[in-house]
């Protein structure tokens, strides 16, 4: 089920006579989300020529003057990750060469984030590499949502606004009027995220799934730390990739006596065989947001997609007006 955002023009824009310095552009990764953000802000997406040469090289040209403007580029680095990341870099470079005053890369989903430190010899820290590429291309500010690891903010030497999709998901859960909720972290690394989520969910109790990962995208679930018997378990994670971890966690929660199991994640990466796993009947509902587009062939009966367009639009407006962003999440 796709839930459309309630897209209303930002109230401040009705009284502003000149906001021509605010320009919004979109890459090709998630144009629907970008259009929703533009509607919330009450402006149009900037015109851009995007084409490929015969060998696959990408050509970008901005089709209006942005000299002295504050430019916001919406482009998640989702599948195909390399193509969309390269497109982001090229658009940033085009805006820099067009004399934009400020260039904010709005990255709803920050790819290459899982390699954020060295866990073995001779590994690349791709999260830092991508940060260097974006900065060197000419971005002057970053706006990202629900990073896989919060420390990635420190990889940038430019201002970084980290926003969270939790208000959107929490509002939806509140509308369902669930009872006896226990918030569950699918691994030890996600405890801080789950604890913050539980606090905002009327201080719901917390449980943790003890997991040992044997290889990338392969996890062995061991046991549940906490009481879930007879409760509504809400699994909270930043992303769902192949769905192995969260599905095995849900099965374990069922075995431990959980009455219902819901999965909540910001980023619907959904690499195969995620759809088969998530639609196998272990979840009452799988709740994600549209930071990454979810095509029709990746939708299933238990899926609910919530829009973060208003949240991103409000953040962009506050950044543009030099207002507080953190106050949105208090």
């Amino acid at each position: 089920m796709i839930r459309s955002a309630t897209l209303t023009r930002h109230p401040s824009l009705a009284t502003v006579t000149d906001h021509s310095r605010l320009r919004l552009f979109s890459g090709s990764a998630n144009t629907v989300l970008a259009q929703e953000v533009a509607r919330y802000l009450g402006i149009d997406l900037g015109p851009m020529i995007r084409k490929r040469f015969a060998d696959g090289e990408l050509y970008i040209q901005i089709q209006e003057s942005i000299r002295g403007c504050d430019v916001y580029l919406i482009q998640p680095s989702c599948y195909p990750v390399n193509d969309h990341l390269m497109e982001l870099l090229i658009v940033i470079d085009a805006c820099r060469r067009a004399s934009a005053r400020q260039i904010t890369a709005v990255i709803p989903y920050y790819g290459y984030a899982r390699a954020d430190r060295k866990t073995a010899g001779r590994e690349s820290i791709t999260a830092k590499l991508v940060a260097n590429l974006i900065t060197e291309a000419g971005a002057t500010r970053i706006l990202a949502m629900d990073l896989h690891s919060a420390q990635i903010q420190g990889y940038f030497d430019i201002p970084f606004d980290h926003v969270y999709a939790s208000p959107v998901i929490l509002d939806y859960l509140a509308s369902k009027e669930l009872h006896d909720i226990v918030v569950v972290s699918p691994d030890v690394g996600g405890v801080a995220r789950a604890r913050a989520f539980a606090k905002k969910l009327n201080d719901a109790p917390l449980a943790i799934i003890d997991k040992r990962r044997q290889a990338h995208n392969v996890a062995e679930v061991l046991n549940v730390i906490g009481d879930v018997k007879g409760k509504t378990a809400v699994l909270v994670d930043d992303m769902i990739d192949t769905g192995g971890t969260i599905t095995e966690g849900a099965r374990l929660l069922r075995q431990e006596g959980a009455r219902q199991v819901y999965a909540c994640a910001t980023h619907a990466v959904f690499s195969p065989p995620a759809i088969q796993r998530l639609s196998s009947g272990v979840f009452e509902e799988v709740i994600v947001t549209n930071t990454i587009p979810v095509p029709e062939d990746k939708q299933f009966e238990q899926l609910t997609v919530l829009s973060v367009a208003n949240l991103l639009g409000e953040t962009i407006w506050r950044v543009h007006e030099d207002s507080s962003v953190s106050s949105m999440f208090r």
Side-chain angles (χ1 to χ4, degrees), residues 252-275:
L252 183 60
L253 292 171
R254 296 278 191 186
Q255 292 172 13
E256 294 293 320
R259 184 167 48 87
Q260 293 180 312
V261 181
Y262 290 80
C264 297
T266 302
H267 310 299
V269 180
F270 288 177
S271 303
I275 306 307

Side-chain angles (χ1 to χ4, degrees), residues 87-110:
E87 182 181 357
L88 173 63
L89 299 177
I90 294 173
V91 178
I92 291 173
D93 183 69
C95 292
R96 177 173 63 89
R97 297 179 187 278
S99 301
R101 188 171 73 96
Q102 292 186 354
I103 303 170
T104 300
V106 181
I107 310 174
Y109 170 66
Y110 187 95

Side-chain angles (χ1 to χ4, degrees), residues 112-120 123-128 148-149 151-152 155 189:
Y112 282 112
R114 282 171 279 193
D116 57 2
R117 64 194 183 280
K118 288 185 70 173
T119 58
E123 283 186 336
S124 171
I125 304 177
T126 53
K128 172 60 175 172
H148 185 65
S149 175
Q151 71 192 39
I152 292 172
Y155 297 167

Side-chain angles (χ1 to χ4, degrees), residues 21-42:
R21 285 188 179 275
L22 171 60
R23 301 295 176 86
L24 188 67
F25 289 88
S26 173
S28 61
N30 198 342
T31 54
V32 173
L33 174 60
Q35 288 166 354
E36 291 181 359
V37 172
R39 285 202 296 273
Y40 176 80
L41 291 170

Side-chain angles (χ1 to χ4, degrees), residues 161-232:
D161 291 296
H162 187 202
V163 297
Y164 306 92
S166 54
V168 175
I169 298 174
L170 287 166
D171 284 348
Y172 177 72
L173 288 175
S175 70
K176 298 184 70 65
E177 299 182 350
L178 302 176
H179 301 287
D180 295 324
I181 294 175
V182 56
V183 175
V184 183
S185 173
D187 52 34
V188 175
V191 170
R193 180 185 302 109
R195 184 183 292 118
F197 194 90
K199 185 176 181 180
K200 294 178 181 177
L201 203 59
N202 298 321
D203 278 325
L206 184 67
I208 304 167
I209 294 177
D210 180 27
K211 176 192 73 176
R212 293 183 183 176
R213 187 175 293 280
Q214 299 174 319
H216 296 300
N217 295 124
V218 178
E220 179 185 358
V221 176
L222 298 179
N223 53 62
V224 177
I225 303 171
D227 180 23
V228 299
K229 188 173 182 179
K231 297 181 181 294
T232 298

